[in-house]
Amino acid sequence: HIFADYLTDYSHWGYSDIDVVFGDMTRWIDTDEWNEYDIVTYGFGDQDKLYLRGQFTFHKNDPKVVNQLWRHCKYLSEMDIRYSKRYESVRKFESAEGCYSQAVIRRKDIKVKWAVKAFSDVGEGSPVYTQGMYLSLGSAPSWTSSRSYVPKSVLYTAADVHSGKRLLDLSTNWFEDKTKYVLYNQQDESLQQYEGAKSKVETYRSLYESGDEEAKDVKCMYWAPKDYQMDICTVEGTVSSDDVVTLENGVLYKQKFRLRNDAFPPGINSFPFFHFQEWKRVYRSTQLLMSKHARSAASPGLIVTKEGSLPLFNTESTSWRKRNKLGKPKIVSNDWMVSDTGSTSSRQSSNKFCLKSSLKGYPKGATVCNVSASWMGARASDSSSPSTLVEGLAAVNIIRSPATTSKLRGKKKGDATIPSWWDEKLFDAVNGVTLSLTLQITSADMKDESVVKNLLSLADSNIYTWGTHQPSLLLIYLDASAEDGELLARTRELVNETFGTMDSETPQTAHLKGSLVTIVESEEPSVSRKALMNMAAHAAPTRWIVTGLELERGLVLSKETALYATREALVHTNMPGHAFVIPQFASTRDDTRANAKKEENVFLTERHLFSSVGADLLPMIREKQTMSSNLEDFDCMKCSGKKPVALKEKDDDEPGVGGGETFGDDEVEETSPDEEEEGE
């Protein structure tokens, strides 16, 4: 109504949500929807709830009737009263989908259609979860294209979870083949076909008017007030996901439909738009960088998954499949830097990271952040000094950075702030790879100094194996809730002794030249592992990141990891966005032994990996190859015929790693020099 001046030249108007990706909308809107219905709304199969969908609903531009329907919804028509100072203390927001939908359903002089024409990420058993949602952007304009040419955007996925291979063999521009897919290219032909006759639909309002008092308590939508639900909720079990529902002369009808099989490739389904309902809750900005400049990228489209957006390869024209080689990589623009909220060599990430959250009472599933951390509040300080803790905010102290070991302009002696925390001369921002590590040290760990030393040695070992040619980042979380402040202070000292910047670097600290080491403290005993990994990843100055390593689990990289990661970065240079490489590795030593309390001849599924990793690991890695990236030999435990050596029984409450087991307490069966050499 308030946009009436803008609508004078249009036959229809509508509304949508911002969490929607549109495909070939003009192809999907049928002739009867344009001409016969006053309001049309698209859903994903949940039309047993007769609300007008916020993701996509369009109306006839009828100023006298349709454009005045909102006046019968008090929530909208009395908006000026609700927002007056008189009601300021009791003002409450609600979704207008309830009130407005009820006002429409009660009318007897309009026609409404609830159609099933949408993909959604609701339901983990759907092909969208298993194969992803494909968005093809159509052929790029050629020299012969008209100036008005606009390529189509088409959404499609597998028809079921078993048809995924068809997506790989399908041309990304299949819909442009007018000889093979004739029906899809006939604009006047509907892509859905009705089956059978119409039948009436009952709502709980009709049951209530027939004397069923319990019908007034129905609630099929959690986001709309109860007052509207008798009109919106159809009687349970009467409307299916393959029913189209219509309102005609005040009467509700349903009719079966199916997709026209000859309109799409075999095993493929398509719809005009995709609605993000669940995935948007977990996305980070870097996971969606591919979609920000999709049309300017080298790929012909996107594959959107729960993990983010990926480039869609053209199976017909690119060399990656037919020639079995990649060709010379292109130098991409630095759009990933401009779009990303992460760090660069001169700017910290502006994001806040929620380290600890708790559930809110309403709405269901919503959370409130109890403790957050931010790189913007990071300070350069001596890790042995106590941190000033503010309620709800973790302290972030940078104890080592490449900037502090380099001569940087503008940095004065004694300046606590870091003008640049990375030395850009030490890495390649576009093709470089950052190793991102996290470590949580609990108050129980702090009670045994040897455990803390072993954990820090483990972190140091990973940085050493990564090497100095690529940057590395270590984020250490300290539990500051301990009553014994001396333990916390001593832990800070140990961190500083291991990683702190000294007046003069030594051969023992040379491998830390490209490392950023940070302590994060709060009074929470433990925080979210994913939040720490996200925070560490956002501090990386390079486009590519190796993440997923939680050092408290005793994980160590192989010596080849940096080489493999660098190679992958070069191979994928011409793709925009980030790649998160998850390394896997194994020790060539046999650290998989039966627990004394279990049967000795039963293969152990609960292994204590790297139970002997500790202060002795670093010199072992330097002297000989103890790690392997070839996991094939470690998929199954080979029987040696020898009786496994049992671990010493220990008190479960004893501080350490892996269920009370400290790093340095292994008993290793003696082997002959030949056996040891063969094991290596």
Side-chain angles (χ1 to χ4, degrees):
H1 181 74
I2 62 174
F3 297 111
D5 294 343
Y6 296 91
L7 302 177
T8 53
D9 296 329
Y10 292 89
S11 63
H12 291 74
W13 62 271
Y15 51 76
S16 179
D17 283 340
I18 61 174
D19 55 355
V20 167
V21 175
F22 285 107
D24 193 1
M25 290 298 301
T26 55
R27 179 63 188 90
W28 279 89
I29 301 178
D30 295 333
T31 303
D32 68 324
E33 295 172 356
W34 287 123
N35 300 328
E36 298 179 21
Y37 292 96
D38 298 290
I39 302 175
V40 178
T41 187
Y42 288 174
F44 59 87
D46 62 338
Q47 61 276 17
D48 56 328
K49 306 170 187 64
L50 300 176
Y51 64 97
L52 301 177
R53 272 68 178 166
Q55 56 263 32
F56 187 70
T57 298
F58 64 98
H59 306 62
K60 270 188 179 178
N61 187 18
D62 177 4
K64 294 183 178 180
V65 179
V66 178
N67 294 6
Q68 305 301 323
L69 291 173
W70 64 277
R71 296 185 182 277
H72 300 277
C73 165
K74 286 188 176 183
Y75 181 75
L76 296 177
S77 61
E78 297 181 359
M79 187 177 294
D80 54 339
I81 299 175
R82 287 191 297 106
Y83 279 88
S84 64
K85 289 186 177 180
R86 179 181 176 184
Y87 294 96
E88 188 173 6
S89 60
V90 294
R91 189 179 302 156
K92 185 179 179 181
F93 172 82
E94 68 178 56
S95 171
E97 285 180 335
C99 179
Y100 182 55
S101 300
Q102 183 193 56
V104 168
I105 290 172
R106 289 184 171 184
R107 301 286 295 215
K108 300 183 183 299
D109 56 347
I110 60 173
K111 292 184 69 176
V112 184
K113 180 179 180 180
W114 288 264
V116 183
K117 294 187 179 182
F119 286 133
S120 174
D121 55 12
V122 174
E124 295 190 5
S126 71
V128 171
Y129 268 83
T130 55
Q131 271 80 37
M133 187 269 297
Y134 282 58
L135 171 63
S136 174
L137 301 175
S139 297
S142 64
W143 291 106
T144 58
S145 300
S146 65
R147 297 182 66 179
S148 61
Y149 172 79
V150 177
K152 283 186 175 184
S153 298
V154 175
L155 292 167
Y156 61 95
T157 190
D160 55 64
V161 296
H162 305 293
S163 304
K165 190 176 184 303
R166 296 180 183 272
L167 291 168
L168 300 178
D169 299 329
L170 184 64
S171 167
T172 55
N173 297 332
W174 58 267
F175 46 87
E176 295 177 354
D177 189 339
K178 296 183 179 180
T179 58
K180 196 170 185 179
Y181 304 106
V182 178
L183 180 58
Y184 189 89
N185 287 279
Q186 292 178 349
Q187 188 66 38
D188 56 341
E189 291 288 337
S190 175
L191 295 174
Q192 292 181 340
Q193 182 174 326
Y194 295 109
E195 295 182 329
K198 292 182 179 180
S199 58
K200 290 185 178 181
V201 174
E202 277 193 310
T203 64
Y204 281 89
R205 170 71 67 181
S206 58
L207 293 184
Y208 179 73
E209 292 175 348
S210 300
D212 187 350
E213 289 291 329
E214 293 183 357
K216 66 181 179 182
D217 297 323
V218 66
K219 190 168 185 179
C220 61
M221 301 165 54
Y222 70 87
W223 62 93
K226 182 181 176 181
D227 299 344
Y228 315 120
Q229 305 224 11
M230 278 201 297
D231 294 292
I232 296 174
C233 303
T234 61
V235 176
E236 186 176 1
T238 59
V239 176
S240 304
S241 60
D242 59 347
D243 286 326
V244 170
V245 178
T246 57
L247 176 67
E248 303 172 25
N249 300 319
V251 180
L252 289 165
Y253 297 94
K254 66 177 181 179
Q255 187 174 10
K256 295 291 182 184
F257 80 94
R258 66 173 177 85
L259 291 175
R260 298 278 292 270
N261 294 331
D262 47 348
F264 310 105
I268 301 298
N269 275 356
S270 178
F271 275 134
F273 72 86
F274 179 85
H275 184 208
F276 293 90
Q277 290 187 269
E278 301 297 331
W279 296 352
K280 63 187 178 185
R281 305 175 192 270
V282 297
Y283 279 149
R284 300 192 303 275
S285 59
T286 51
Q287 292 177 277
L288 299 175
L289 285 177
M290 276 297 303
S291 60
K292 291 195 174 183
H293 305 285
R295 290 201 179 276
S296 61
S299 63
L302 302 170
I303 305 175
V304 182
T305 71
K306 184 179 179 181
E307 286 70 36
S309 56
L310 303 170
L312 176 61
F313 287 104
N314 192 325
T315 59
E316 294 184 333
S317 61
T318 55
S319 60
W320 69 277
R321 187 160 186 159
K322 289 197 171 182
R323 299 182 186 176
N324 239 354
K325 61 181 181 179
L326 286 162
K328 187 176 181 180
K330 300 176 182 177
I331 303 300
V332 298
S333 66
N334 288 347
D335 287 342
W336 68 273
M337 279 187 172
V338 176
S339 304
D340 193 9
T341 55
S343 305
T344 66
S345 61
S346 59
R347 172 178 62 86
Q348 299 100 326
S349 168
S350 59
N351 280 22
K352 280 190 175 181
F353 302 90
C354 185
L355 304 183
K356 191 77 172 183
S357 62
S358 58
L359 290 173
K360 294 174 65 176
Y362 182 85
K364 184 179 180 181
T367 60
V368 59
C369 187
N370 303 118
V371 178
S372 64
S374 171
W375 285 111
M376 295 299 289
R379 303 287 293 177
S381 65
D382 181 354
S383 67
S384 61
S385 59
S387 301
T388 303
L389 297 180
V390 179
E391 186 177 357
L393 188 64
V396 181
N397 294 316
I398 298 175
I399 63 169
R400 167 183 280 273
S401 74
T404 59
T405 58
S406 304
K407 294 181 180 179
L408 295 174
R409 296 178 182 177
K411 182 171 175 60
K412 299 178 181 179
K413 187 175 182 181
D415 188 359
T417 61
I418 297 182
S420 176
W421 47 0
W422 296 100
D423 185 351
E424 57 188 15
K425 296 179 181 178
L426 297 178
F427 61 86
D428 179 355
V430 175
N431 296 314
V433 186
T434 300
L435 173 64
S436 175
L437 304 170
T438 62
L439 171 63
Q440 292 198 55
I441 300 179
T442 66
S443 57
D445 297 331
M446 297 178 193
K447 293 177 181 178
D448 189 335
E449 188 170 308
S450 65
V451 172
V452 176
K453 287 183 177 180
N454 288 336
L455 288 169
L456 297 178
S457 177
L458 189 64
D460 196 33
S461 300
N462 276 283
I463 296 174
Y464 180 85
T465 56
W466 181 250
T468 59
H469 297 290
Q470 299 279 25
S472 59
L473 188 146
L474 172 61
L475 193 65
I476 303 174
Y477 178 79
L478 298 184
D479 173 12
S481 64
E483 296 180 359
D484 190 345
E486 293 184 2
L487 287 178
L488 182 60
R490 178 54 183 157
T491 303
R492 293 194 193 103
E493 289 177 4
L494 291 173
V495 174
N496 193 57
E497 290 171 4
T498 309
F499 300 107
T501 305
M502 302 177 184
D503 295 335
S504 60
E505 296 295 334
T506 65
Q508 286 71 31
T509 60
H511 61 286
L512 299 172
K513 181 176 65 173
S515 300
L516 175 71
V517 182
T518 303
I519 291 179
V520 178
E521 292 183 35
S522 82
E523 294 185 349
E524 288 290 341
S526 63
V527 295
S528 166
R529 296 173 183 268
K530 289 185 177 180
L532 285 180
M533 282 192 283
N534 292 344
M535 185 175 179
H538 271 251
T542 60
R543 175 185 177 195
W544 308 95
I545 306 166
V546 174
T547 186
L549 288 170
E550 300 162 293
L551 296 175
E552 60 270 23
R553 296 186 175 183
L555 302 179
V556 184
L557 289 168
S558 69
K559 291 170 65 175
E560 301 86 4
T561 304
L563 174 63
Y564 292 156
T566 303
R567 184 177 66 181
E568 288 301 304
L570 292 174
V571 166
H572 297 94
T573 297
N574 59 343
M575 295 182 191
H578 287 262
F580 293 86
V581 184
I582 309 300
Q584 296 187 49
F585 39 83
S587 171
T588 56
R589 293 168 292 152
D590 180 10
D591 285 326
T592 313
R593 287 150 301 171
N595 190 293
K597 296 180 180 179
K598 297 189 177 182
E599 295 182 16
E600 295 178 345
N601 296 324
V602 177
F603 176 71
L604 253 173
T605 56
E606 298 178 7
R607 311 185 203 178
H608 295 297
L609 292 179
F610 296 100
S611 55
S612 64
V613 169
D616 65 323
L617 179 63
L618 187 57
M620 290 180 69
I621 291 178
R622 287 176 173 170
E623 292 173 6
K624 58 185 179 180
Q625 175 71 32
T626 62
M627 319 305 291
S628 171
S629 59
N630 182 11
L631 298 185
E632 186 176 343
D633 295 335
F634 302 93
D635 289 341
C636 194
M637 187 77 169
K638 295 182 179 179
C639 298
S640 63
K642 297 181 180 180
K643 186 176 180 180
V645 179
L647 297 175
K648 295 187 298 182
E649 291 190 23
K650 301 177 74 73
D651 187 353
D652 290 341
D653 294 331
E654 182 176 350
V657 176
E661 185 182 359
T662 57
F663 279 134
D665 289 332
D666 262 348
E667 290 183 5
V668 182
E669 184 177 13
E670 292 185 2
T671 58
S672 67
D674 293 338
E675 290 174 329
E676 186 175 357
E677 185 177 352
E678 184 179 354
E680 292 174 6

